[in-house]
Every structure is written in structure tokens, then in C-alpha cells.
């Protein structure tokens, strides 16, 4: 493995949910510790399952992993707890000193995703800069590296205090930045450590899927733009050619993956690249971690694997009849990257249109390629795309032309800097999304990749979105029905969570469901996509994976989902209208 050669002290693994970055980070930390190196494994994932992988309870403290290796310690940073402590540290000193309205305004500024990201960064900054704290370790392995926009936030100018006090800011990331001034020197040192190839290596983890590799390419560019140029690419879960013998399904999957690997995005082709073979086992326990990075694949005799003759689970057709009966409404597909939201959203839209119902299919996913998925026009179907870059540019111009018009040159420059924050994009996309969903009063609107729960809370529950609407209306009063109110109404909106039958995607889907519930939105159904257990495989490796899926499917059916549907792993990518419609066949 190239990414394990000549390792610097800090090693970061990043990637979308379900690609295997936690497993690879854990396997790397274990291997290094068993080679005699002293290793600290750190997770900053809100849904961290490092403890589950090792079979121990870790939590927000450095824990010796003696059962695994005397040289290994682990720490799970809790971003939500870090965000609460961060908010208390900023708001506490001004309670009873500043007017209550000002304090509430600060709390609103600190309620979003940016605060959580910065607070988590605050927690592990010490691991990069405090030499006494980490003196006993040869390597520190991070599961989930900071994103490019988080690093960008930490590089913004530090003169925010007067800007905030004069109410010159807008609904964005200024609030979180207000607490950074005292630690700016430490953050600067941390960013420098991350950008130093002699100290830090960043590993981008992906799967052999077109959409996943496009997302990794964007991450590569984002991180490279802020100076993190020491990057390696690991493509996880590649089906071995040996599994294609006498199994048409495995042969088709192998051919599909090889085609994707032959067309890796250009910006990734120059990176050192390793491929890790798909394994038949769930990556839990020490034996699994020790075998993950090896090429050899050990499988059980296929005949000895207990599998039901046919997986008794409802298909997509069980959901579409209930949806079609309403005649109109908003259907939102949510889930982490790489689980197949775009395909399933397109399939539902095509099926509803085939029934003669008017449908508007839209996406806010930068990686979504609806035109390629549909391969042509469909009667009764309108297709649109919310371009985050275009919408963000439009929103920035609007704010600078209105709120920035009366500012002096320095204040306007600060406002322009702030408007380059990630929260600005969330607000801009949410505004565009709000325009699209108005169609749901007269037709079906099928949305691929909706705003997450924390965005909804930031923009609506805290009042930021209401104020924005009121400003656009010229102060003529609050709107009677806001987008969040529509999403909270099950008579108007059905939220569908998409996942894979694997431990990490299911954990993350459950976390998403809880986040939505905090915003007052109850998911309507879950869809388990690319299910091997319902595909009747003959390959020994695929049969073992199918057997492992049954536990996750049972958990979804009995603990998480009020209703669910399963889509089998297919021989061919479901692109084009005819193949999309095949997904609804029993």
C-alpha cells in the first residue's frame, strides 16, 4: 500500500459516508501499533463507530486499546458536545452584560453547522500543536479530516468583533468566528501543520463508483486550494476478478467497476492510488481489521452460508401506489453520498409521470447527473437543477448590493469575506429550494438531496430564514407558510431516507433521521438500495456479504423505519427510462 510508505506523523482519512474510511483508519492504526509504533487514533465523526469496530467503549477521552495492542490509544471527539462547550465559552461572559436581544442574536449565529465544525477543529487542534499532550505517540491517525471550507474559515480575517457589534453581518458563519481571536495563533499553527507534507498526509477514500469519485475529486480540489497538497487516493471495496466465475451478477459488477476505474477524473489521476479488494466480512473486530489491508480474500463455501430462499421484503412498488394516490406533493430523497439518491429520485419521478401525473424532478446535488440517468425527455416530467455555485453567487450579489451598499470599504470587504463561508451556500441553496417546492401545490415535486436537518434549524427555527423573507418582502410582515412548515406537514411532504445495508451507512441514516426529527420532520420511509441479499448471488464472497446484510435489514425494519422498501443490487446501472421503470417490477 503506497499510502502506508514513509509515513509522516499525522495521517488523515476523509471521504463520504459508507466508503470505508473509518475501517481503513482503524486498520492502519492497528497495523502501525503492531509494528511497534505508538499510535493515537482519533475520530471526529459525529456518528463515530470506532468503538464498535474495536468492540470497546471509547468516548471523549484518550483510551488505551490494550486488547488490540499495548501501543494503541483511541479518542472519539464528540462534535456536538464540543459545540455546546464552545457556545458556552462565547455566550457565558456576555450574559447579563449585553442586552438580551444581542445575546439571542449571538446564540442564533452559533446554532449552525459551522459552529460544530469549528468546535470539533478546536478540540483536535491541540493534538496538532501541543507537543506535550502528544509527546508519547509516533503517529496520530485521524478518521475524518477537516474539510476545505472549515480550513478556509480559520484563515478568514480576525477583525470580527466590531463588525458583529455594529450588526453589519448577515446569517452566516460570523458568529462562530467571533470566538476565534484568542486562539488564532494556535489555529494558524494547526493549519500550517496540516499543510506541511513532512508532517501530514491526507488519504482520500472512495469506492469504484462514478458519483463517489466525482465527490472525491471536488474534495481534492477544495483541500489542495487551502494548501493540503500531500494527498493519496484509496479506492475501497473493489470486487476481485476471481468472484466472476459462474456468477453473471458478479461478472457484470466487475465489468462496471473496471469501466469506472478506467475513467477516473483527471484531477485524481496524478495522485498515488491504492485499491483495496472487497471483503466478505463486516469490518468489526481485530481479525477483520488485520485482514482488511491484505490482498488475500478468504471466503466460506457458498453452500454452507445460511440464506433465505427469497428475501421477503417490499419493493419500490409498495411505496409508489401510496404516493400516487395523493395526486400532488413534495417527495424528498435524503441520505449520504453514494447511496443512490439520484437514481431512486429519478425512478420515482419517471414512474409517476408514466401514470400520467405531472412531475417536477429537481436536484441540489453538485454530483447529480439527471440527464445521464434519464437519457432523454419523458412526457409529464419537468427536470431542473439547483446549481449551488450559481445560487451562491446570486445571493452574495444580492447581499452586497443591499446590506453592503451603505458600508464603508473595510466593512464591505469583511462582509464579502464572510459571504465566502459554507453557510452562505446553505442559505442560497435553501432559497432556491424554497422556490422549487411551491410547485408541489399543483403537481409532484421530487427532490434529490434536500437540505439537512441542521440547515433547516439554522435557517428557520432560529428565525434567520424568516428575517430574510421579511427583508425581501420589504418589511411587509412574516410569510404565512414557510418552507420548514411545509416540510413538517406529512400531508404535504414525504421524506424518504436512502441507505445501504451496511453498518456505517445505516448508522449515518439513523443519525440523519434524528437530526430531521429535531427539526420537526418525521421521515415517511426508508429505502435499502443495492441490496445483495435480494439479488440471489452465487459468488461465495457476495453470498457472505448478503448474509451480513440481514442483520442491518432487520434493524431498519424493527427499530428505525415505519415503512421500508428494498432495491436489489443490479447487473447494470439503472440509467435510461426503461431500466428505471424496471425498479418497480416485483
Amino acid at each position: 500500500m503506497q499510502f502506508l510508505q514513509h509515513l509522516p506523523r499525522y495521517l488523515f482519512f476523509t471521504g463520504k459516508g459508507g466508503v470505508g474510511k473509518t475501517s481503513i483508519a482503524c486498520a492502519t492504526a492497528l497495523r502501525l501499533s503492531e509494528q511497534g509504533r505508538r499510535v493515537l487514533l482519533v475520530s471526529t465523526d459525529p456518528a463515530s463507530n470506532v468503538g464498535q469496530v474495536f468492540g470497546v467503549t471509547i468516548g471523549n477521552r484518550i483510551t488505551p486499546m490494550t486488547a488490540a495492542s499495548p501501543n494503541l490509544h483511541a479518542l472519539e471527539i464528540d462534535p456536538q458536545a464540543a459545540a455546546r462547550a464552545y457556545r458556552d465559552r462565547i455566550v457565558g461572559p456576555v450574559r447579563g452584560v449585553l442586552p438580551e436581544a444581542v445575546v439571542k442574536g449571538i446564540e442564533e449565529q452559533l446554532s449552525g453547522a459551522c459552529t460544530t465544525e469549528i468546535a470539533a477543529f478546536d478540540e483536535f487542534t491541540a493534538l496538532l500543536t501541543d507537543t506535550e499532550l502528544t509527546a508519547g505517540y509516533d503517529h496520530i491517525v485521524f478518521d475524518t479530516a477537516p474539510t476545505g471550507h472549515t480550513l478556509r474559515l480559520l484563515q478568514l480575517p480576525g477583525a470580527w468583533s466590531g463588525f458583529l457589534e455594529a450588526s453589519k453581518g448577515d446569517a452566516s458563519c460570523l458568529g462562530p468566528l467571533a470566538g476565534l481571536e484568542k486562539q488564532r495563533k494556535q489555529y494558524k499553527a494547526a493549519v500550517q501543520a496540516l499543510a506541511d507534507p513532512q508532517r501530514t498526509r491526507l488519504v482520500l477514500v472512495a469506492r469504484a463508483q462514478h458519483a463517489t469519485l466525482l465527490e472525491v475529486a471536488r474534495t481534492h480540489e477544495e483541500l489542495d486550494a487551502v494548501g493540503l497538497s500531500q494527498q493519496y487516493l484509496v479506492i475501497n471495496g473493489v470486487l476481485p476478478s476471481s468472484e466472476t466465475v459462474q456468477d453473471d451478477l458478479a461478472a457484470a459488477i466487475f465489468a462496471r467497476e473496471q469501466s469506472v476505474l478506467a475513467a477516473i477524473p483527471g484531477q485524481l489521476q496524478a495522485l498515488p492510488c491504492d485499491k483495496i479488494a472487497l471483503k466478505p466480512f463486516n469490518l468489526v473486530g481485530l481479525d477483520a481489521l488485520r485482514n482488511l489491508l491484505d490482498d488475500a480474500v478468504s471466503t466460506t463455501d457458498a453452500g454452507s452460508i445460511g440464506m433465505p430462499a427469497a428475501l421477503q421484503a417490499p419493493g419500490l412498488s409498495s411505496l409508489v401506489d401510496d404516493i400516487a394516490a395523493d395526486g400532488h406533493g413534495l417527495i424528498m430523497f435524503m441520505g449520504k453520498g453514494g447511496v443512490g439518491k439520484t437514481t431512486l429520485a429519478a425512478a420515482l419521478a419517471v414512474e409517476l409521470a408514466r401514470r400520467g401525473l405531472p412531475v417536477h424532478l429537481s436536484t441540489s446535488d453538485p454530483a447529480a447527473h439527471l440527464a445521464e440517468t434519464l437519457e432523454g425527455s419523458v412526457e409529464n416530467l419537468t427536470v431542473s437543477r439547483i446549481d449551488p455555485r450559481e445560487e451562491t453567487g446570486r445571493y452574495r450579489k444580492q447581499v452586497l448590493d443591499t446590506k453592503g451598499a451603505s458600508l464603508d470599504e473595510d466593512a464591505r470587504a469583511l462582509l464579502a469575506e464572510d459571504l465566502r463561508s459554507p453557510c452562505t451556500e446553505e442559505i442560497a441553496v435553501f432559497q432556491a429550494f424554497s422556490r422549487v417546492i411551491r410547485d408541489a401545490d399543483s403537481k409532484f415535486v421530487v427532490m434529490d438531496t434536500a437540505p439537512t436537518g441542521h440547515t433547516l434549524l439554522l435557517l428557520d427555527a432560529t428565525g434567520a430564514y424568516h428575517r430574510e423573507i421579511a427583508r425581501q418582502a420589504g418589511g411587509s410582515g412574516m410569510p404565512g407558510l414557510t418552507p420548514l412548515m411545509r416540510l413538517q406537514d406529512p400531508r404535504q411532504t414525504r421524506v424518504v431516507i436512502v441507505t445501504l445495508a451496511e453498518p456505517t451507512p445505516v448508522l449515518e441514516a439513523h443519525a440523519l433521521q434524528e437530526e430531521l426529527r429535531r427539526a420537526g420532520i418525521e421521515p415517511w420511509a426508508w429505502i435499502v438500495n443495492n441490496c445483495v441479499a435480494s439479488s440471489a448471488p452465487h459468488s461465495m464472497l457476495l453470498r457472505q456479504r448478503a448474509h451480513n446484510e440481514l442483520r442491518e435489514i432487520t434493524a431498519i425494519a424493527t427499530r428505525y423505519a415505519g415503512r421500508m422498501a428494498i432495491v436489489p443490487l443490479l447487473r447494470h446501472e439503472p440509467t435510461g427510462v426503461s431500466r428505471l421503470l424496471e425498479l418497480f417490477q416485483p
Side-chain angles (χ1 to χ4, degrees):
M1 294 288 171
Q2 297 178 75
F3 78 92
L4 291 174
Q5 302 301 314
H6 310 295
L7 280 176
R9 189 170 189 230
Y10 303 115
L11 186 60
F12 281 87
F13 291 87
T14 188
K16 297 298 182 181
V19 297
K21 63 180 182 300
T22 296
S23 301
I24 297 173
C26 291
T28 299
L30 180 62
R31 173 168 292 193
L32 292 174
S33 69
E34 291 183 334
Q35 291 173 350
R37 306 185 205 181
R38 296 161 298 173
V39 181
L40 176 61
L41 172 63
V42 182
S43 173
T44 62
D45 191 334
S48 174
N49 61 339
V50 169
Q52 179 189 26
V53 170
F54 281 100
V56 298
T57 300
I58 299 174
N60 196 26
R61 67 196 187 287
I62 295 178
T63 303
M65 308 293 284
T66 51
S69 168
N71 297 317
L72 179 61
H73 291 74
L75 167 67
E76 290 179 327
I77 293 174
D78 183 343
Q80 296 302 326
R84 287 193 296 271
Y86 188 89
R87 285 191 291 268
D88 291 342
R89 193 162 64 245
I90 296 173
V91 178
V94 300
R95 289 192 191 277
V97 178
L98 297 179
E100 186 62 25
V102 175
V103 174
K104 286 185 176 180
I106 296 173
E107 288 177 333
E108 288 182 3
Q109 290 281 2
L110 296 172
S111 64
C114 292
T115 299
T116 303
E117 291 195 1
I118 290 176
F121 189 87
D122 190 30
E123 289 284 307
F124 71 73
T125 292
L127 301 174
L128 294 168
T129 59
D130 189 333
T131 55
E132 291 185 9
L133 180 64
T134 60
Y137 300 105
D138 299 310
H139 297 286
I140 303 178
V141 177
F142 290 91
D143 169 30
T144 303
T147 62
H149 64 62
T150 301
L151 295 170
R152 175 64 182 145
L153 284 174
L154 299 169
Q155 294 172 328
L156 294 178
W160 297 115
S161 297
F163 191 60
L164 284 169
E165 290 169 5
S167 299
K168 296 174 182 177
D170 211 69
S172 66
C173 291
L174 281 175
L177 288 165
L180 296 182
E181 188 59 36
K182 291 182 179 179
Q183 295 167 274
R184 187 162 295 279
K185 183 177 180 181
Q186 181 173 316
Y187 288 148
K188 182 178 180 180
V191 172
Q192 288 174 342
L194 288 170
D196 183 354
Q198 300 301 315
R199 289 187 281 173
T200 300
R201 177 172 299 171
L202 193 137
V203 181
L204 306 172
V205 183
R207 300 295 288 264
Q209 300 165 345
H210 180 64
T212 304
L213 286 169
L214 284 177
E215 290 177 352
V216 166
R218 282 198 306 276
T219 301
H220 159 69
E221 292 181 328
E222 186 179 53
L223 293 169
D224 189 61
V226 293
L228 274 71
S229 56
Q230 178 76 323
Q231 298 181 26
Y232 284 64
L233 176 64
V234 172
I235 300 177
N236 188 32
V238 179
L239 186 69
S241 59
S242 57
E243 296 298 316
T244 63
V245 179
Q246 297 181 336
D247 190 330
D248 293 340
L249 173 64
I253 293 170
F254 177 80
R256 190 168 72 201
E257 289 183 346
Q258 294 303 309
S259 176
V260 169
L261 294 176
I264 287 179
Q267 56 268 57
L268 298 178
Q269 291 179 6
L271 297 181
C273 180
D274 293 305
K275 299 179 182 65
I276 297 177
L278 182 69
K279 299 300 189 292
F281 44 80
N282 279 334
L283 290 161
V284 176
L286 299 180
D287 288 342
L289 292 176
R290 290 185 178 110
N291 291 320
L292 173 60
L293 302 179
D294 294 334
D295 290 333
V297 178
S298 175
T299 56
T300 307
D301 178 69
S304 66
I305 300 173
M307 290 286 295
L311 185 62
Q312 300 299 317
L316 283 183
S317 57
S318 67
L319 302 181
V320 71
D321 290 339
D322 286 345
I323 292 172
D326 290 342
H328 67 90
L330 175 63
I331 317 299
M332 301 179 71
F333 283 80
M334 297 189 181
K336 298 298 182 181
V339 297
K341 297 185 304 293
T342 300
T343 297
L344 295 176
L348 175 65
V350 167
E351 172 62 17
L352 291 172
R354 184 191 67 80
R355 299 185 181 200
L357 298 165
V359 184
H360 181 176
L361 171 63
S362 185
T363 181
S364 59
D365 185 351
H369 298 275
L370 288 176
E372 294 177 11
T373 303
L374 292 169
E375 292 185 349
S377 60
V378 178
E379 189 176 356
N380 301 316
L381 177 62
T382 301
V383 180
S384 68
R385 177 173 177 263
I386 298 172
D387 187 313
R389 290 189 178 182
E390 289 182 8
E391 297 298 336
T392 303
R394 185 180 296 115
Y395 178 78
R396 285 174 182 148
K397 184 178 185 302
Q398 171 195 330
V399 173
L400 288 170
D401 289 348
T402 55
K403 197 169 187 66
S406 60
L407 300 179
D408 58 38
E409 184 176 345
D410 290 342
R412 185 176 170 87
L414 285 173
L415 178 59
E417 191 72 38
D418 170 51
L419 288 170
R420 284 194 281 272
S421 73
C423 290
T424 299
E425 180 176 304
E426 290 182 345
I427 293 171
V429 170
F430 190 81
Q431 284 189 333
F433 158 78
S434 301
R435 293 193 297 268
V436 169
I437 65 176
R438 293 175 193 149
D439 279 355
D441 291 332
S442 59
K443 62 176 66 173
F444 281 107
V445 173
V446 180
M447 280 292 303
D448 164 37
T449 306
T452 62
H454 67 67
T455 306
L456 298 170
L457 287 170
L458 172 67
L459 296 175
D460 204 299
T462 66
Y465 184 72
H466 284 91
R467 291 197 304 273
E468 183 66 31
I469 291 294
R471 281 200 298 270
Q472 290 182 8
S476 59
M478 302 305 295
L481 179 65
T482 69
L484 180 60
M485 293 164 63
R486 184 189 292 273
L487 301 183
Q488 291 169 332
D489 187 349
R491 296 169 299 179
Q492 301 189 61
T493 301
R494 299 182 191 233
V495 172
V496 179
I497 292 179
V498 183
T499 187
L500 305 175
E502 299 173 13
T504 297
V506 170
L507 281 173
E508 292 185 342
H510 178 239
L512 172 61
Q513 177 163 273
E514 293 304 303
E515 192 173 29
L516 292 170
R517 284 173 172 168
R518 285 193 292 274
I521 301 169
E522 182 62 32
W524 180 69
W526 284 46
I527 296 177
V528 179
N529 195 27
N530 291 334
C531 179
V532 182
S534 61
S535 303
H538 298 291
S539 152
M540 288 186 289
L541 187 152
L542 292 183
R543 282 182 66 84
Q544 285 181 261
R545 291 189 64 83
H547 180 74
N548 294 336
E549 286 183 341
L550 299 180
R551 177 181 175 182
E552 304 303 325
I553 293 170
T554 299
I556 293 170
T558 59
R559 296 167 53 193
Y560 303 142
R563 64 170 56 77
M564 66 177 290
I566 290 182
V567 177
L569 179 64
L570 303 174
R571 287 174 170 76
H572 305 286
E573 288 284 0
T575 56
V577 172
S578 60
R579 283 186 175 165
L580 288 172
L581 291 174
E582 288 175 3
L583 295 176
F584 295 92
Q585 295 178 0

